[in-house]
């Protein structure tokens, strides 16, 4: 699988835990790959982020502090999401 890198910018709403990360510019673009945007929610204890990958054919993501348990807070399919501000 090819590797690549792109710059991102984001917003975080500390009240709701909503996180929005947007691709901005390619640094090293592999052929036939696109940037993705991520919309997620920080877990209550701050150890993980679960959410949705905004790109055709993609689904969800989960990132966590190493050793933290996986407690998904990802939005359910068809659920409405608020926008981070």
């Amino acid at each position: 699988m090819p590797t690549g890198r792109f710059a991102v910018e984001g917003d975080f709403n500390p009240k709701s835990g909503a996180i929005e990360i947007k691709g901005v510019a390619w640094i090293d673009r592999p052929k036939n790959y696109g940037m993705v945007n991520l919309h997620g929610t920080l877990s209550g204890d701050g150890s993980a982020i679960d959410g949705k990958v905004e790109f055709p054919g993609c689904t969800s993501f989960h990132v966590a502090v190493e050793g933290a348990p996986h407690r998904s807070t990802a939005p359910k399919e068809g659920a409405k999401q608020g926008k981070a501000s």
Side-chain angles (χ1 to χ4, degrees):
M1 174 175 284
T3 60
R5 299 180 302 147
F6 57 91
V8 298
E9 64 183 19
D11 291 307
F12 173 62
N13 181 324
K15 289 184 181 183
S16 68
I19 296 172
E20 183 175 338
I21 300 171
K22 297 178 183 178
V24 176
W26 280 102
I27 297 167
D28 182 18
R29 183 177 187 174
K31 187 176 180 178
N32 299 321
Y33 278 75
M35 284 187 274
V36 297
N37 296 330
L38 305 173
H39 302 275
T41 304
L42 182 66
S43 64
D45 65 2
S47 68
I49 303 170
D50 287 281
K52 184 173 181 177
V53 179
E54 297 292 335
F55 194 81
C58 295
T59 57
S60 61
F61 73 93
H62 170 81
V63 293
V65 173
E66 191 171 338
H70 182 186
R71 294 183 301 263
S72 180
T73 58
K76 301 296 181 216
E77 193 65 35
K80 292 184 179 180
Q81 288 184 299
K83 183 174 171 110
S85 56

